[in-house]
Amino acid sequence: MVKVMTKTKIGVYENVKQQFAKASDLMELDSDVREILSKTTNEIIINFPVKMDDGHIEIFTGYRVQHNNALGPYKGGLRFHPMVNLDEVRALATWMTWKGALTSIPFGGAKGGIQMDPSKYSQSELERITRRFTFALGNNIGPEYDIPAPDVNTNPQIMAWILDTYLSTIPPHERQRCIHVVTGKPVESGGSIGRNKATGQGVVFTIEQWAQDHHFDLSNVTYIIQGFGNVGSWAARLLGRHGSKLIAVEDITGIIMNTDGIDPEELDAYVKENGGVKGYPKSEPIDKDTFFGLEADIFIPAALENQITAETAPLLNVKLVAEGANGPTNTDGDIILKKKGIDLIPDILCNSGGVIVSYFEWLQNKRSEKWELEKVDSKLYKKIIAAYGKVQNVTEKYSTDWRTAAYIVALSSLEKVYKERGIFP
Ligand code: GLU
């Protein structure tokens, strides 16, 4: 059996470049536009000090990369993870530009993060780290300029601290009209209902559409999930409501399997209590090779980049990969999936539900409105399925794979805007 190696995230940006080059060649993207989009606009790296609970000072490195704002303000999440680095944040920022363009929301692309392991810090240390980074970013973020949101290991509480810190730095009379400086906030602090589940909900909307197109009955399918954070747990729970059977889950603590089915609601409660899937009673532990080789209908990677690679893709025994994570499949992985006839709903489509509902949150804040869940969900459904349809058409038009087609849809809209506006001066 092939041994699965856990790859580090070296060269994720190289992945983006290869995906971008493939789509640009195929669609014959204007060479000037290609030049512009092949670079990020701003790259901010900040080393900042924070006082720890025991009184000593620790220096953290934070990043914010702004890739492009031709279609609207920079937009994208902030992640707290030991592997955060400039190469990764560049890649993630660029994917956000494509995501906004593909789903026709008026946002550009950005991403940021702090290189750290949040599990090593107390709640009050996390708060000070978040606030100090927000303060250090200063006017590099803003409600009409660059709008952060949750990502890996960040959550509504962290967004509330960002909001509060940002508002404290501007004149009092301007504060109420600036709460859209960050999205993914707690609902009471101006967040949108439905934002917390939005990424997982979007993943499931696209899977439903795929199932319908392929005459698959979702009450009769099996699925495996990598990652049981916000995206993975919501995708698992929402797919579970169709009667689909979850048979294995991998997260940072371990890998569990039960071919008779794992109850996603129960697992969710267990993970909230215990911090991970490891030790979940109604399951057995398995190794990575077994996990990747499991026979199932759907695989939802919902963790980090570079998981479906030359090492792991040959093991896969599924019909569909639905990318809840950003960049889970590298270029080698893509080639192998195609050879094996495994369908793919690419990240910039599949996981776009998060930023789509972030857009709805931003709009609600600007208009001082509070929408109901039904409205949020139905607008999300319309937007993500419209993008799905566009990608499907382009796949047929260019006889290409779904990732390249998604890029072509996104790049065409960016190309149009650059052609209309030209370049100053
Ligand atoms: N971090 C999420 C993503 O990668 C959401 C970004 C946002 O809502 O701005 O799409």
Side-chain angles (χ1 to χ4, degrees), residues 138-195:
N139 285 337
N140 289 299
I141 59 169
E144 307 292 336
Y145 180 62
D146 183 353
I147 305 124
D151 197 75
V152 174
N153 292 336
T154 54
N155 56 33
Q157 173 62 74
I158 290 174
M159 301 307 117
W161 290 330
I162 296 174
L163 171 71
D164 188 69
T165 309
Y166 180 83
L167 294 186
S168 304
T169 66
I170 60 175
H173 67 280
E174 285 178 14
R175 289 178 189 159
Q176 287 311 323
R177 61 172 174 85
C178 287
I179 58 171
H180 52 303
V181 64
V182 60
T183 60
K185 300 180 289 288
V187 174
E188 310 74 32
S189 291
S192 176
I193 198 158
R195 174 63 185 86

Short mmCIF file of all heavy atoms in Angstrom, two decimals, residues 138-195:
data_model
loop_
_atom_site.label_atom_id
_atom_site.label_comp_id
_atom_site.label_asym_id
_atom_site.label_seq_id
_atom_site.Cartn_x
_atom_site.Cartn_y
_atom_site.Cartn_z
N GLY A 138 -4.45 48.92 11.60
CA GLY A 138 -4.89 50.31 11.44
C GLY A 138 -5.80 50.46 10.23
O GLY A 138 -6.74 49.69 10.03
N ASN A 139 -5.49 51.45 9.40
CA ASN A 139 -6.33 51.73 8.24
C ASN A 139 -6.07 50.82 7.05
O ASN A 139 -6.60 51.06 5.97
CB ASN A 139 -6.17 53.19 7.81
CG ASN A 139 -6.90 54.09 8.78
OD1 ASN A 139 -7.83 53.65 9.47
ND2 ASN A 139 -6.48 55.34 8.85
N ASN A 140 -5.28 49.77 7.27
CA ASN A 140 -5.16 48.77 6.20
C ASN A 140 -6.42 47.93 6.08
O ASN A 140 -6.60 47.20 5.11
CB ASN A 140 -3.96 47.85 6.45
CG ASN A 140 -2.66 48.58 6.25
OD1 ASN A 140 -2.38 49.07 5.16
ND2 ASN A 140 -1.86 48.68 7.30
N ILE A 141 -7.29 47.98 7.12
CA ILE A 141 -8.63 47.41 6.97
C ILE A 141 -9.63 48.54 7.10
O ILE A 141 -9.30 49.63 7.58
CB ILE A 141 -8.93 46.28 8.00
CG1 ILE A 141 -8.83 46.79 9.44
CG2 ILE A 141 -8.00 45.09 7.79
CD1 ILE A 141 -9.36 45.80 10.48
N GLY A 142 -10.87 48.29 6.69
CA GLY A 142 -11.91 49.32 6.78
C GLY A 142 -13.16 48.82 6.10
O GLY A 142 -13.08 47.97 5.20
N PRO A 143 -14.34 49.34 6.50
CA PRO A 143 -15.61 48.79 6.01
C PRO A 143 -15.83 48.91 4.50
O PRO A 143 -16.59 48.14 3.94
CB PRO A 143 -16.67 49.59 6.78
CG PRO A 143 -15.96 50.77 7.33
CD PRO A 143 -14.53 50.39 7.50
N GLU A 144 -15.18 49.88 3.88
CA GLU A 144 -15.31 50.01 2.43
C GLU A 144 -13.97 49.73 1.75
O GLU A 144 -13.77 50.05 0.57
CB GLU A 144 -15.77 51.43 2.05
CG GLU A 144 -17.02 51.91 2.75
CD GLU A 144 -18.28 51.15 2.35
OE1 GLU A 144 -18.32 50.58 1.24
OE2 GLU A 144 -19.23 51.11 3.17
N TYR A 145 -13.02 49.19 2.52
CA TYR A 145 -11.68 49.01 1.96
C TYR A 145 -11.19 47.57 2.02
O TYR A 145 -10.82 46.97 1.01
CB TYR A 145 -10.70 49.94 2.69
CG TYR A 145 -9.30 49.83 2.17
CD1 TYR A 145 -9.01 50.15 0.85
CD2 TYR A 145 -8.25 49.39 3.00
CE1 TYR A 145 -7.71 50.03 0.35
CE2 TYR A 145 -6.96 49.27 2.51
CZ TYR A 145 -6.70 49.59 1.19
OH TYR A 145 -5.42 49.45 0.71
N ASP A 146 -11.16 47.00 3.22
CA ASP A 146 -10.73 45.61 3.37
C ASP A 146 -11.44 45.03 4.59
O ASP A 146 -11.28 45.55 5.70
CB ASP A 146 -9.21 45.52 3.53
CG ASP A 146 -8.72 44.07 3.63
OD1 ASP A 146 -9.56 43.16 3.71
OD2 ASP A 146 -7.49 43.87 3.62
N ILE A 147 -12.19 43.97 4.36
CA ILE A 147 -13.11 43.45 5.38
C ILE A 147 -12.75 42.01 5.76
O ILE A 147 -13.01 41.08 5.01
CB ILE A 147 -14.57 43.50 4.82
CG1 ILE A 147 -14.91 44.92 4.37
CG2 ILE A 147 -15.57 43.01 5.86
CD1 ILE A 147 -15.36 45.03 2.95
N PRO A 148 -12.14 41.82 6.93
CA PRO A 148 -11.81 40.46 7.38
C PRO A 148 -13.05 39.64 7.78
O PRO A 148 -14.16 40.18 7.88
CB PRO A 148 -10.91 40.69 8.60
CG PRO A 148 -10.49 42.11 8.54
CD PRO A 148 -11.60 42.83 7.84
N ALA A 149 -12.82 38.37 8.02
CA ALA A 149 -13.89 37.42 8.38
C ALA A 149 -13.22 36.20 9.03
O ALA A 149 -12.00 36.09 9.02
CB ALA A 149 -14.65 37.01 7.12
N PRO A 150 -14.02 35.27 9.54
CA PRO A 150 -13.41 34.06 10.13
C PRO A 150 -12.80 33.15 9.07
O PRO A 150 -13.19 33.16 7.90
CB PRO A 150 -14.59 33.35 10.80
CG PRO A 150 -15.69 34.34 10.88
CD PRO A 150 -15.48 35.29 9.75
N ASP A 151 -11.82 32.38 9.48
CA ASP A 151 -11.22 31.33 8.66
C ASP A 151 -10.75 30.23 9.63
O ASP A 151 -11.33 30.10 10.71
CB ASP A 151 -10.07 31.92 7.82
CG ASP A 151 -9.67 31.02 6.66
OD1 ASP A 151 -10.40 30.95 5.66
OD2 ASP A 151 -8.62 30.34 6.74
N VAL A 152 -9.71 29.51 9.30
CA VAL A 152 -9.24 28.42 10.15
C VAL A 152 -8.90 28.94 11.56
O VAL A 152 -8.10 29.88 11.70
CB VAL A 152 -8.01 27.73 9.53
CG1 VAL A 152 -7.43 26.68 10.47
CG2 VAL A 152 -8.37 27.11 8.19
N ASN A 153 -9.50 28.34 12.59
CA ASN A 153 -9.26 28.67 14.01
C ASN A 153 -9.65 30.08 14.42
O ASN A 153 -9.20 30.56 15.46
CB ASN A 153 -7.78 28.46 14.39
CG ASN A 153 -7.37 27.01 14.37
OD1 ASN A 153 -8.20 26.13 14.50
ND2 ASN A 153 -6.08 26.76 14.20
N THR A 154 -10.47 30.75 13.64
CA THR A 154 -11.01 32.04 14.11
C THR A 154 -12.53 31.92 14.07
O THR A 154 -13.07 31.09 13.35
CB THR A 154 -10.54 33.23 13.26
OG1 THR A 154 -10.82 32.97 11.88
CG2 THR A 154 -9.05 33.49 13.44
N ASN A 155 -13.22 32.75 14.83
CA ASN A 155 -14.67 32.54 15.01
C ASN A 155 -15.38 33.87 15.31
O ASN A 155 -14.73 34.92 15.37
CB ASN A 155 -14.87 31.54 16.16
CG ASN A 155 -14.18 32.01 17.44
OD1 ASN A 155 -14.09 33.22 17.71
ND2 ASN A 155 -13.69 31.07 18.23
N PRO A 156 -16.70 33.84 15.49
CA PRO A 156 -17.43 35.09 15.73
C PRO A 156 -16.89 35.89 16.92
O PRO A 156 -16.85 37.13 16.88
CB PRO A 156 -18.86 34.60 15.99
CG PRO A 156 -18.97 33.33 15.19
CD PRO A 156 -17.62 32.69 15.30
N GLN A 157 -16.46 35.23 17.99
CA GLN A 157 -15.92 35.96 19.15
C GLN A 157 -14.69 36.79 18.73
O GLN A 157 -14.57 37.97 19.12
CB GLN A 157 -15.52 34.96 20.25
CG GLN A 157 -14.80 35.62 21.42
CD GLN A 157 -15.65 36.66 22.14
OE1 GLN A 157 -16.57 36.31 22.88
NE2 GLN A 157 -15.37 37.95 21.93
N ILE A 158 -13.83 36.19 17.94
CA ILE A 158 -12.63 36.92 17.48
C ILE A 158 -13.05 38.10 16.59
O ILE A 158 -12.48 39.20 16.68
CB ILE A 158 -11.65 35.94 16.81
CG1 ILE A 158 -11.06 35.04 17.90
CG2 ILE A 158 -10.55 36.69 16.04
CD1 ILE A 158 -10.18 33.90 17.42
N MET A 159 -14.08 37.91 15.77
CA MET A 159 -14.57 39.01 14.93
C MET A 159 -15.13 40.14 15.80
O MET A 159 -14.96 41.33 15.48
CB MET A 159 -15.64 38.51 13.94
CG MET A 159 -15.17 37.42 13.00
SD MET A 159 -13.66 37.81 12.08
CE MET A 159 -12.53 36.56 12.70
N ALA A 160 -15.78 39.78 16.92
CA ALA A 160 -16.32 40.81 17.82
C ALA A 160 -15.19 41.64 18.42
O ALA A 160 -15.30 42.87 18.54
CB ALA A 160 -17.14 40.15 18.94
N TRP A 161 -14.07 41.00 18.74
CA TRP A 161 -12.92 41.76 19.28
C TRP A 161 -12.32 42.66 18.20
O TRP A 161 -11.89 43.78 18.49
CB TRP A 161 -11.84 40.78 19.79
CG TRP A 161 -12.24 40.03 21.03
CD1 TRP A 161 -13.07 40.48 22.03
CD2 TRP A 161 -11.82 38.71 21.42
NE1 TRP A 161 -13.19 39.52 23.01
CE2 TRP A 161 -12.43 38.42 22.68
CE3 TRP A 161 -10.98 37.74 20.85
CZ2 TRP A 161 -12.23 37.22 23.34
CZ3 TRP A 161 -10.78 36.54 21.51
CH2 TRP A 161 -11.41 36.28 22.74
N ILE A 162 -12.28 42.16 16.97
CA ILE A 162 -11.76 43.00 15.87
C ILE A 162 -12.65 44.23 15.70
O ILE A 162 -12.19 45.36 15.60
CB ILE A 162 -11.67 42.19 14.55
CG1 ILE A 162 -10.64 41.05 14.69
CG2 ILE A 162 -11.33 43.11 13.36
CD1 ILE A 162 -10.58 40.11 13.50
N LEU A 163 -13.95 43.98 15.70
CA LEU A 163 -14.93 45.07 15.54
C LEU A 163 -14.72 46.12 16.63
O LEU A 163 -14.57 47.31 16.35
CB LEU A 163 -16.35 44.50 15.63
CG LEU A 163 -17.47 45.54 15.69
CD1 LEU A 163 -17.63 46.23 14.34
CD2 LEU A 163 -18.80 44.90 16.10
N ASP A 164 -14.70 45.65 17.88
CA ASP A 164 -14.60 46.57 19.01
C ASP A 164 -13.31 47.37 18.97
O ASP A 164 -13.30 48.58 19.22
CB ASP A 164 -14.70 45.78 20.32
CG ASP A 164 -14.80 46.70 21.50
OD1 ASP A 164 -15.83 47.37 21.65
OD2 ASP A 164 -13.81 46.79 22.27
N THR A 165 -12.22 46.70 18.62
CA THR A 165 -10.93 47.40 18.57
C THR A 165 -10.91 48.43 17.44
O THR A 165 -10.49 49.57 17.63
CB THR A 165 -9.78 46.38 18.36
OG1 THR A 165 -9.91 45.36 19.33
CG2 THR A 165 -8.42 47.06 18.48
N TYR A 166 -11.40 48.02 16.26
CA TYR A 166 -11.40 48.95 15.13
C TYR A 166 -12.25 50.19 15.47
O TYR A 166 -11.82 51.32 15.26
CB TYR A 166 -11.94 48.25 13.86
CG TYR A 166 -11.96 49.18 12.68
CD1 TYR A 166 -10.81 49.39 11.91
CD2 TYR A 166 -13.12 49.88 12.35
CE1 TYR A 166 -10.83 50.28 10.84
CE2 TYR A 166 -13.13 50.78 11.28
CZ TYR A 166 -11.99 50.96 10.53
OH TYR A 166 -12.00 51.84 9.48
N LEU A 167 -13.46 49.94 16.02
CA LEU A 167 -14.36 51.06 16.32
C LEU A 167 -13.74 52.01 17.34
O LEU A 167 -13.94 53.22 17.29
CB LEU A 167 -15.71 50.55 16.81
CG LEU A 167 -16.56 49.76 15.80
CD1 LEU A 167 -17.94 49.45 16.39
CD2 LEU A 167 -16.73 50.49 14.47
N SER A 168 -12.96 51.43 18.26
CA SER A 168 -12.34 52.27 19.29
C SER A 168 -11.27 53.21 18.72
O SER A 168 -10.88 54.17 19.37
CB SER A 168 -11.68 51.40 20.37
OG SER A 168 -12.62 50.52 20.90
N THR A 169 -10.81 52.91 17.52
CA THR A 169 -9.75 53.74 16.93
C THR A 169 -10.31 54.86 16.05
O THR A 169 -9.54 55.66 15.52
CB THR A 169 -8.79 52.91 16.06
OG1 THR A 169 -9.51 52.41 14.93
CG2 THR A 169 -8.15 51.77 16.83
N ILE A 170 -11.64 54.88 15.84
CA ILE A 170 -12.18 55.94 14.97
C ILE A 170 -13.06 56.88 15.79
O ILE A 170 -13.52 56.51 16.88
CB ILE A 170 -12.96 55.36 13.76
CG1 ILE A 170 -14.14 54.49 14.23
CG2 ILE A 170 -12.03 54.56 12.85
CD1 ILE A 170 -15.01 54.00 13.10
N PRO A 171 -13.34 58.09 15.28
CA PRO A 171 -14.12 59.06 16.06
C PRO A 171 -15.50 58.49 16.43
O PRO A 171 -16.11 57.79 15.62
CB PRO A 171 -14.26 60.25 15.10
CG PRO A 171 -13.16 60.08 14.11
CD PRO A 171 -12.88 58.62 14.01
N PRO A 172 -15.99 58.80 17.64
CA PRO A 172 -17.25 58.24 18.12
C PRO A 172 -18.42 58.40 17.13
O PRO A 172 -19.20 57.48 16.96
CB PRO A 172 -17.53 59.03 19.40
CG PRO A 172 -16.18 59.46 19.87
CD PRO A 172 -15.33 59.65 18.64
N HIS A 173 -18.51 59.54 16.46
CA HIS A 173 -19.69 59.75 15.61
C HIS A 173 -19.64 58.90 14.33
O HIS A 173 -20.62 58.83 13.60
CB HIS A 173 -19.83 61.23 15.26
CG HIS A 173 -18.74 61.77 14.37
ND1 HIS A 173 -17.50 62.13 14.87
CD2 HIS A 173 -18.70 61.97 13.04
CE1 HIS A 173 -16.75 62.55 13.87
NE2 HIS A 173 -17.45 62.44 12.75
N GLU A 174 -18.52 58.27 14.09
CA GLU A 174 -18.43 57.44 12.88
C GLU A 174 -18.64 55.95 13.17
O GLU A 174 -18.77 55.14 12.26
CB GLU A 174 -17.05 57.61 12.23
CG GLU A 174 -16.93 58.94 11.50
CD GLU A 174 -15.54 59.13 10.90
OE1 GLU A 174 -14.78 58.14 10.81
OE2 GLU A 174 -15.24 60.27 10.51
N ARG A 175 -18.69 55.60 14.44
CA ARG A 175 -18.65 54.17 14.79
C ARG A 175 -19.84 53.38 14.29
O ARG A 175 -19.67 52.31 13.73
CB ARG A 175 -18.49 54.01 16.31
CG ARG A 175 -17.09 54.43 16.73
CD ARG A 175 -16.85 54.34 18.22
NE ARG A 175 -15.56 54.98 18.50
CZ ARG A 175 -15.18 55.45 19.67
NH1 ARG A 175 -15.99 55.37 20.72
NH2 ARG A 175 -14.00 56.01 19.82
N GLN A 176 -21.05 53.92 14.47
CA GLN A 176 -22.24 53.14 14.11
C GLN A 176 -22.32 52.82 12.62
O GLN A 176 -22.97 51.86 12.23
CB GLN A 176 -23.53 53.84 14.58
CG GLN A 176 -23.73 53.77 16.08
CD GLN A 176 -23.57 52.36 16.66
OE1 GLN A 176 -23.95 51.37 16.05
NE2 GLN A 176 -22.97 52.26 17.84
N ARG A 177 -21.67 53.65 11.82
CA ARG A 177 -21.76 53.35 10.38
C ARG A 177 -20.56 52.53 9.88
O ARG A 177 -20.33 52.46 8.68
CB ARG A 177 -21.97 54.61 9.57
CG ARG A 177 -20.89 55.66 9.68
CD ARG A 177 -21.15 56.78 8.66
NE ARG A 177 -20.22 57.89 8.81
CZ ARG A 177 -19.02 57.92 8.25
NH1 ARG A 177 -18.59 56.92 7.54
NH2 ARG A 177 -18.25 58.99 8.42
N CYS A 178 -19.82 51.95 10.80
CA CYS A 178 -18.63 51.17 10.40
C CYS A 178 -18.65 49.72 10.85
O CYS A 178 -17.64 49.04 10.77
CB CYS A 178 -17.37 51.85 10.91
SG CYS A 178 -16.99 53.35 10.00
N ILE A 179 -19.81 49.23 11.30
CA ILE A 179 -19.79 47.86 11.84
C ILE A 179 -19.60 46.81 10.75
O ILE A 179 -19.37 45.64 11.06
CB ILE A 179 -21.02 47.54 12.72
CG1 ILE A 179 -22.31 47.72 11.95
CG2 ILE A 179 -21.02 48.34 14.00
CD1 ILE A 179 -23.50 47.20 12.72
N HIS A 180 -19.64 47.23 9.51
CA HIS A 180 -19.36 46.25 8.43
C HIS A 180 -17.86 46.17 8.12
O HIS A 180 -17.46 45.70 7.07
CB HIS A 180 -20.18 46.56 7.18
CG HIS A 180 -20.06 47.98 6.68
ND1 HIS A 180 -20.36 49.08 7.46
CD2 HIS A 180 -19.71 48.47 5.47
CE1 HIS A 180 -20.18 50.17 6.74
NE2 HIS A 180 -19.78 49.82 5.53
N VAL A 181 -17.01 46.60 9.07
CA VAL A 181 -15.56 46.47 8.91
C VAL A 181 -15.13 45.01 8.98
O VAL A 181 -14.05 44.64 8.53
CB VAL A 181 -14.80 47.30 9.98
CG1 VAL A 181 -15.09 46.77 11.39
CG2 VAL A 181 -13.30 47.27 9.71
N VAL A 182 -15.98 44.17 9.57
CA VAL A 182 -15.65 42.75 9.67
C VAL A 182 -16.97 41.98 9.55
O VAL A 182 -18.03 42.49 9.94
CB VAL A 182 -14.90 42.48 11.00
CG1 VAL A 182 -15.72 42.84 12.21
CG2 VAL A 182 -14.44 41.05 11.11
N THR A 183 -16.92 40.78 8.96
CA THR A 183 -18.14 39.95 8.88
C THR A 183 -17.89 38.65 9.62
O THR A 183 -16.77 38.34 10.01
CB THR A 183 -18.55 39.68 7.42
OG1 THR A 183 -17.48 38.99 6.77
CG2 THR A 183 -18.88 40.96 6.68
N GLY A 184 -18.99 37.89 9.80
CA GLY A 184 -18.89 36.68 10.60
C GLY A 184 -18.94 37.01 12.08
O GLY A 184 -18.45 36.26 12.92
N LYS A 185 -19.53 38.17 12.39
CA LYS A 185 -19.67 38.61 13.79
C LYS A 185 -20.76 37.80 14.48
O LYS A 185 -21.62 37.22 13.81
CB LYS A 185 -20.06 40.11 13.81
CG LYS A 185 -19.07 41.04 13.14
CD LYS A 185 -19.51 42.50 13.19
CE LYS A 185 -20.69 42.86 12.30
NZ LYS A 185 -20.40 42.89 10.86
N PRO A 186 -20.77 37.80 15.82
CA PRO A 186 -21.92 37.20 16.51
C PRO A 186 -23.19 37.96 16.09
O PRO A 186 -23.12 39.18 15.84
CB PRO A 186 -21.61 37.45 17.99
CG PRO A 186 -20.13 37.74 18.05
CD PRO A 186 -19.78 38.37 16.75
N VAL A 187 -24.32 37.26 16.04
CA VAL A 187 -25.55 37.89 15.54
C VAL A 187 -25.90 39.15 16.34
O VAL A 187 -26.29 40.17 15.79
CB VAL A 187 -26.71 36.87 15.54
CG1 VAL A 187 -28.03 37.54 15.16
CG2 VAL A 187 -26.40 35.72 14.57
N GLU A 188 -25.72 39.10 17.66
CA GLU A 188 -26.07 40.25 18.53
C GLU A 188 -25.18 41.45 18.24
O GLU A 188 -25.56 42.59 18.46
CB GLU A 188 -25.90 39.89 20.01
CG GLU A 188 -26.57 38.61 20.47
CD GLU A 188 -25.85 37.34 20.00
OE1 GLU A 188 -24.61 37.38 19.87
OE2 GLU A 188 -26.52 36.33 19.72
N SER A 189 -23.98 41.22 17.72
CA SER A 189 -23.06 42.33 17.44
C SER A 189 -23.10 42.75 15.97
O SER A 189 -22.16 43.36 15.48
CB SER A 189 -21.63 41.92 17.80
OG SER A 189 -21.50 41.80 19.18
N GLY A 190 -24.19 42.39 15.29
CA GLY A 190 -24.32 42.84 13.90
C GLY A 190 -24.03 41.75 12.88
O GLY A 190 -23.98 42.01 11.68
N GLY A 191 -23.84 40.54 13.34
CA GLY A 191 -23.63 39.42 12.40
C GLY A 191 -24.92 39.03 11.73
O GLY A 191 -26.00 39.41 12.17
N SER A 192 -24.81 38.26 10.65
CA SER A 192 -26.01 37.80 9.95
C SER A 192 -26.40 36.43 10.48
O SER A 192 -25.56 35.56 10.67
CB SER A 192 -25.75 37.67 8.45
OG SER A 192 -26.89 37.13 7.81
N ILE A 193 -27.69 36.26 10.66
CA ILE A 193 -28.17 34.92 10.94
C ILE A 193 -27.80 34.05 9.73
O ILE A 193 -27.77 34.53 8.60
CB ILE A 193 -29.70 34.97 11.22
CG1 ILE A 193 -30.13 33.71 11.94
CG2 ILE A 193 -30.51 35.22 9.98
CD1 ILE A 193 -31.44 33.91 12.70
N GLY A 194 -27.42 32.83 9.98
CA GLY A 194 -27.08 31.94 8.86
C GLY A 194 -25.64 32.03 8.42
O GLY A 194 -25.19 31.23 7.59
N ARG A 195 -24.85 33.00 8.95
CA ARG A 195 -23.46 33.12 8.51
C ARG A 195 -22.61 31.97 9.06
O ARG A 195 -21.72 31.48 8.38
CB ARG A 195 -22.86 34.46 8.94
CG ARG A 195 -21.35 34.63 8.67
CD ARG A 195 -21.03 34.56 7.18
NE ARG A 195 -19.59 34.59 6.87
CZ ARG A 195 -18.80 33.52 6.85
NH1 ARG A 195 -19.28 32.32 7.15
NH2 ARG A 195 -17.52 33.65 6.52
#
